[in-house]
Amino acid sequence: LIVAEKLVKTYSSGDLEVKAIRGVDFVIEPASFVSFIGPSGSGKSTLLNMIGCLDPPTEGQLKVVGQDVTGLSRQDAARFRGEHIGFVFQDFNLIPVLTVFENVEYPLQMVQSWPKDERMKRVQEMLDAVGMGDQGHKYPSQISGGQKQRVAVARALVTNAKLVLADEPTANLDRETATMVIELMKKMRDEFKTTFVFSTHDPRIVDNVEITFELEDGILKRHEMAKGG
Amino acid sequence: LIVAEKLVKTYSSGDLEVKAIRGVDFVIEPASFVSFIGPSGSGKSTLLNMIGCLDPPTEGQLKVVGQDVTGLSRQDAARFRGEHIGFVFQDFNLIPVLTVFENVEYPLQMVQSWPKDERMKRVQEMLDAVGMGDQGHKYPSQISGGQKQRVAVARALVTNAKLVLADEPTANLDRETATMVIELMKKMRDEFKTTFVFSTHDPRIVDNVEITFELEDGILKRHEMAKGG
Ligand SMILES: Nc1ncnc2c1ncn2[C@@H]1O[C@H](COP(=O)(O)OP(=O)(O)OP(=O)(O)O)[C@@H](O)[C@H]1O
Ligand SMILES: Nc1ncnc2c1ncn2[C@@H]1O[C@H](COP(=O)(O)OP(=O)(O)OP(=O)(O)O)[C@@H](O)[C@H]1O
Ligand SMILES: [Mg+2]
Ligand SMILES: [Mg+2]
């Protein structure tokens, strides 16, 4: 589903030049449940942003869901993302002027075009699934950190995208709520063959994935097949 | 150092009324290393915000560092915070238009009034201590999630405040960096008798504190003295 060859990402602004990803190769099969792991600053979010077509590679080749995304224009990248990818951002990225319900509804209404009654049903279903079913009327500023994180998760899963990229989706969650979120994602992978790619430090996620790709200073150290993966 | 009696916090806006903290009592001694724990949405951040004089209680009494803070005006609360409290926010709350260095320098320059050469030395020392010593020139938008978190920690510790409140300070950190941050805080408690009050789900912090206060639905379930405190 995802093929990366010699991927490089360099951030430049003024005299600042940071080689965040310095030559990375990997293949991720459909319906995988995998994670990038590594120290803070090692390049996990940068890599996820490239796979999710949010940020173009500086060098190298990247195929996602069969499509070469390396040279996509901003507009084509946005359309591609809307059709194929669900993304949980490390800082949640909720829209402050929309309610929790409207935030989760957004991809169904403004990006895809689901009819209203189907949207209402689907949004409520996802909010219930992350334990936020009675909070739909609130605004992001009126909910806790872990509640924001769960709304971000619900939004990433709502379109039933083929590929879900989740950047630290359980960082702000207690054990029970984290388990609820991980179980929900496993269920979607089993039922719909959704591919899940995580970036995380959370051992609770690492214990549940089949493969971990270890990043350090922008390069992949090794691939580890989890036992019983 | 901290005495809370029958503390209540109710958020009201329009017809929305949320009893986030519903009657909480506790005492925290000076130089303690303690944590509030509990499920997402249980009221941890709300409680920390009251102790940190960021948000007034709706009912009850609260004494911090010997001062009754229950009825403080916004201005007096701000001055009191600046003199006595360091706060690590769950969402970091860095100032986007200031560099990393300037963000950490802010409490020393704009809140307290340290002379320039002492500020420069102290800021660099704190950045080095959280592993961000070479990142001072960057802006918050140019660093990773865990790097932002560490800058927020450095800023909370820079004034050598008597009381440090840290809301999920390790949520975005890998094991080594989290250990670095926890060790730094323990060292400050041993050396300067700083009181540390955490709100967290992270077992790495819970393993290191002497007392955990467990919150659920806005009330305290129990106090647990950790073995070997
Ligand atoms: N401004 C607000 N208006 C209304 N309700 C609020 C507001 N802020 C928080 N709440 C609610 O108060 C409750 C406690 O929130 P709080 O942020 O203290 O939880 P928390 O324990 O820190 O959770 P987490 O672990 O997810 O960070 C939650 O149910 C939340 O939705
Ligand atoms: N816009 C930018 N400009 C310059 N450097 C950047 C930018 N964004 C990220 N970086 C740098 O690139 C490196 C990788 O960042 P990235 O966010 O991918 O790390 P990460 O592995 O996700 O870290 P964390 O676990 O802390 O979230 C870091 O050293 C960071 O400072
Ligand atoms: Mg990151
Ligand atoms: Mg919180």
Side-chain angles (χ1 to χ4, degrees), chain A residues 45-222:
Chain A
S45 296
T46 300
L47 198 43
L48 238 63
N49 289 344
M50 285 196 277
I51 299 169
C53 304
L54 289 158
D55 218 3
T58 311
E59 295 171 38
Q61 288 286 334
L62 183 58
K63 270 208 191 73
V64 178
V65 195
Q67 162 111 24
D68 182 347
V69 299
T70 322
L72 281 187
S73 73
R74 283 184 66 93
Q75 213 162 339
D76 289 339
R79 184 155 8 106
F80 181 79
R81 273 200 321 273
E83 283 171 30
H84 299 287
I85 299 172
F87 205 110
V88 186
F89 294 90
Q90 188 165 8
D91 62 0
F92 322 143
N93 223 357
L94 300 181
I95 302 172
V97 298
L98 298 183
T99 60
V100 161
F101 192 96
E102 291 164 345
N103 261 283
V104 179
E105 190 187 19
Y106 190 91
L108 299 180
Q109 179 178 26
M110 307 308 281
V111 183
Q112 298 187 3
S113 323
W114 293 37
K116 179 153 181 147
D117 54 350
E118 279 178 48
R119 289 201 311 263
M120 302 310 267
K121 183 162 169 290
R122 175 65 174 176
V123 172
Q124 192 56 47
E125 180 190 350
M126 296 317 301
L127 285 177
D128 290 340
V130 298
M132 291 292 293
D134 60 349
Q135 307 271 327
H137 59 288
K138 285 178 149 186
Y139 286 89
S141 59
Q142 296 173 322
I143 57 179
S144 77
Q147 289 173 334
K148 288 188 187 94
Q149 188 145 46
R150 286 183 271 157
V151 175
V153 168
R155 180 180 61 183
L157 303 180
V158 76
T159 60
N160 214 353
K162 287 203 201 65
L163 171 62
V164 174
L165 304 169
D167 200 345
E168 297 284 0
T170 53
N172 284 277
L173 302 180
D174 55 285
R175 187 167 44 87
E176 260 132 78
T177 322
T179 302
M180 180 193 230
V181 164
I182 295 169
E183 289 307 310
L184 171 64
M185 291 173 164
K186 278 171 148 184
K187 179 154 157 285
M188 288 186 70
R189 188 282 295 264
D190 295 339
E191 212 172 322
F192 304 105
K193 306 298 165 233
T194 315
T195 305
F196 280 90
V197 179
F198 299 94
S199 137
T200 191
H201 307 115
D202 192 342
R204 296 172 300 197
I205 290 187
V206 175
D207 289 347
N208 278 282
V209 299
E210 301 148 343
I211 306 173
T212 58
F213 298 90
E214 192 172 338
L215 266 175
E216 190 169 327
D217 270 334
I219 43 180
L220 275 178
K221 286 178 67 181
R222 59 193 171 113

Side-chain angles (χ1 to χ4, degrees), chain B residues 67-115:
Chain B
Q67 160 112 24
D68 183 346
V69 299
T70 323
L72 280 187
S73 72
R74 282 182 65 92
Q75 213 163 337
D76 290 339
R79 186 162 0 113
F80 181 79
R81 274 201 319 274
E83 284 171 30
H84 300 286
I85 298 172
F87 206 110
V88 185
F89 294 90
Q90 188 165 8
D91 64 358
F92 321 144
N93 223 358
L94 300 181
I95 302 173
V97 297
L98 299 183
T99 62
V100 161
F101 192 97
E102 291 165 342
N103 261 283
V104 179
E105 189 187 19
Y106 189 92
L108 300 180
Q109 179 177 28
M110 307 307 281
V111 183
Q112 298 189 1
S113 324
W114 293 36

Side-chain angles (χ1 to χ4, degrees), chain B:
Chain B
L1 201 78
I2 305 172
V3 181
E5 278 173 41
K6 298 186 174 49
L7 228 46
V8 171
K9 181 67 185 179
T10 304
Y11 293 109
S12 325
S13 85
D15 352 312
L16 184 73
E17 195 180 81
V18 179
K19 290 195 166 67
I21 292 291
R22 306 189 283 129
V24 150
D25 307 279
F26 57 84
V27 173
I28 295 174
E29 303 288 339
S32 297
F33 210 76
V34 306
S35 187
F36 290 95
I37 61 173
S40 171
S42 56
K44 302 180 297 298
S45 296
T46 301
L47 197 45
L48 237 64
N49 289 345
M50 285 196 279
I51 299 169
C53 305
L54 288 158
D55 217 2
T58 312
E59 293 172 40
Q61 289 286 332
L62 183 58
K63 269 207 190 73
V64 178
V65 195
Q67 160 112 24
D68 183 346
V69 299
T70 323
L72 280 187
S73 72
R74 282 182 65 92
Q75 213 163 337
D76 290 339
R79 186 162 0 113
F80 181 79
R81 274 201 319 274
E83 284 171 30
H84 300 286
I85 298 172
F87 206 110
V88 185
F89 294 90
Q90 188 165 8
D91 64 358
F92 321 144
N93 223 358
L94 300 181
I95 302 173
V97 297
L98 299 183
T99 62
V100 161
F101 192 97
E102 291 165 342
N103 261 283
V104 179
E105 189 187 19
Y106 189 92
L108 300 180
Q109 179 177 28
M110 307 307 281
V111 183
Q112 298 189 1
S113 324
W114 293 36
K116 180 156 181 144
D117 53 351
E118 279 179 47
R119 290 200 310 262
M120 303 311 265
K121 183 161 169 292
R122 176 65 174 176
V123 172
Q124 191 57 45
E125 179 190 351
M126 295 318 298
L127 284 177
D128 291 340
V130 299
M132 291 293 291
D134 61 348
Q135 307 272 328
H137 59 289
K138 285 176 148 187
Y139 286 89
S141 59
Q142 296 172 322
I143 57 179
S144 77
Q147 291 172 331
K148 289 188 188 92
Q149 188 146 47
R150 287 184 271 157
V151 174
V153 168
R155 180 180 62 182
L157 303 180
V158 76
T159 59
N160 212 353
K162 286 202 201 67
L163 171 62
V164 174
L165 304 168
D167 201 343
E168 296 286 359
T170 54
N172 284 277
L173 302 181
D174 56 283
R175 187 168 42 87
E176 259 131 79
T177 323
T179 303
M180 179 193 229
V181 164
I182 295 168
E183 290 307 309
L184 171 63
M185 292 174 164
K186 279 171 146 184
K187 179 155 158 284
M188 288 185 70
R189 188 281 295 266
D190 295 339
E191 211 172 322
F192 303 106
K193 306 299 170 235
T194 315
T195 305
F196 280 89
V197 179
F198 299 93
S199 137
T200 191
H201 308 114
D202 193 341
R204 295 172 302 197
I205 292 186
V206 175
D207 289 346
N208 278 283
V209 298
E210 304 148 342
I211 306 173
T212 57
F213 298 91
E214 193 172 339
L215 266 175
E216 190 169 326
D217 269 334
I219 43 179
L220 276 179
K221 287 178 67 181
R222 59 196 171 113
H223 300 188
E224 190 179 277
M225 309 295 295
K227 24 205 172 291

